[in-house]
Amino acid sequence: MILAIANQKGGVGKTTTALNLAAALALRGKSTLLIDLDPQANSSMSYLDLREVERGMYDVFVDPALDMQEVIKPTAVPNLSVAPARISLAKLESRLVGELDAPFRLKDQLARLTTFTHIVIDCPPALGLLTVNALVAATHLLIPIQSSYFALEGTDDLLETIEKVRQRPNPGLKILGVVITMHDRRTALGRDILAQIRKVFGEKVFRTVISKSVRLEESPAYRESIFTFAPESSGASEYYSLCEEVIERA
């Protein structure tokens, strides 16, 4: 399974979902690779010291002769490796402008990679070349939507992009589901938004809802997933439950 985690809206819990879902899959014994396509490199920072990273996904994109295996780094979590990002990814679009195979660079690299059974891709908060590469390469898509007043803003653009990718480069792309993040169960607004998202996406919405959690926000600062940072927390329980649903749906 190659799972892209995408939503062009920022601050919806994409990176939190990517790094904890990848960790949960690894804990389940799955050989897992987390690919960081966000120039902010937050997924990478959560597991690696970026000062020790010489090459990352930017190099993989601009040099098709480079074997992606050369940039992949193991983490302290058994069964989990990371293909790191660096800020240089921000200039990728201008570097690959006019290249006919630009949307297929990641897919071509992953076709040569046979080490992992599960790949999780953390996409940037935009519908540019990096996200398109992820959608073209992925078998499945997971969309995190924040439980907030503007929750569904911009989802039309994302769904339109998905349809364009399905029409030509990746007709097999499946929407695995929508996960509601940063949910506050105590408020009437939170409950209303939950109902609204379920009305729009129906059965695509995961049963598991990720609650607002200070522990989830803190864990990346300590270079840990929620499962080692706060294993008894609601965040750990919810992301493990989401992992179970992901395996079940795939």
Side-chain angles (χ1 to χ4, degrees):
M1 179 171 66
I2 302 170
L3 181 64
I5 298 180
N7 186 335
Q8 81 272 31
K9 200 168 182 292
V12 299
K14 273 191 306 295
T15 295
T16 303
T17 297
L19 67 92
N20 286 306
L21 186 54
L25 287 164
L27 287 170
R28 282 288 311 267
K30 313 286 186 190
S31 176
T32 306
L33 172 65
L34 173 59
I35 299 176
D36 192 352
L37 292 190
D38 190 339
Q40 295 175 79
N42 290 336
S43 277
S44 307
M45 281 180 226
S46 301
Y47 289 115
L48 306 172
D49 183 345
L50 288 186
R51 291 170 298 184
E52 296 172 6
V53 174
E54 291 177 12
R55 292 189 295 185
M57 287 306 297
Y58 175 79
D59 305 281
V60 170
F61 276 105
V62 299
D63 182 5
L66 176 66
D67 189 338
M68 189 171 165
Q69 194 72 53
E70 292 180 42
V71 308
I72 292 171
K73 302 276 187 191
T75 71
V77 179
N79 303 313
L80 180 62
S81 298
V82 175
R86 296 167 78 199
I87 192 64
S88 52
L89 265 179
K91 61 184 181 186
L92 183 71
E93 244 168 278
S94 58
R95 176 69 190 267
L96 292 185
V97 68
E99 297 281 346
L100 289 174
D101 69 335
F104 298 90
R105 294 276 171 111
L106 182 60
K107 183 171 187 169
D108 292 344
Q109 283 283 356
L110 295 185
R112 309 203 302 248
L113 201 65
T114 56
T115 326
F116 303 96
T117 59
H118 289 68
I119 296 173
V120 177
I121 308 172
D122 183 16
C123 297
L127 291 176
L129 184 60
L130 287 163
T131 298
V132 168
N133 259 274
L135 295 177
V136 169
T139 57
H140 297 81
L141 171 68
L142 187 151
I143 306 169
I145 296 184
Q146 183 185 359
S147 177
S148 72
Y149 183 68
F150 296 109
L152 296 169
E153 191 182 65
T155 49
D156 286 350
D157 293 335
L158 176 61
L159 294 172
E160 192 179 312
T161 304
I162 293 161
E163 280 314 307
K164 284 179 182 170
V165 168
R166 274 176 168 166
Q167 280 166 20
R168 287 276 177 88
N170 188 4
L173 178 64
K174 294 180 182 131
I175 298 178
L176 191 68
V178 169
V179 61
I180 297 164
T181 60
M182 302 183 208
H183 180 60
D184 190 342
R185 299 169 194 277
R186 298 166 300 177
T187 66
L189 178 64
R191 291 191 291 274
D192 288 348
I193 290 158
L194 201 66
Q196 186 186 7
I197 294 169
R198 285 187 168 137
K199 189 176 176 184
V200 172
F201 288 100
E203 291 179 1
K204 288 291 180 192
V205 180
F206 284 102
R207 295 186 302 274
T208 304
V209 174
I210 309 298
S211 308
K212 263 188 180 174
S213 163
V214 175
R215 291 290 195 212
L216 279 172
E217 290 172 25
E218 289 174 340
S219 63
Y222 294 87
R223 291 209 191 106
E224 290 186 60
S225 76
I226 193 66
F227 302 106
T228 51
F229 180 71
E232 303 299 317
S233 66
S234 62
S237 167
E238 287 161 0
Y239 270 112
Y240 198 80
S241 172
L242 178 65
C243 174
E244 295 288 302
E245 279 196 79
V246 164
I247 292 168
E248 183 187 304
R249 289 192 184 196

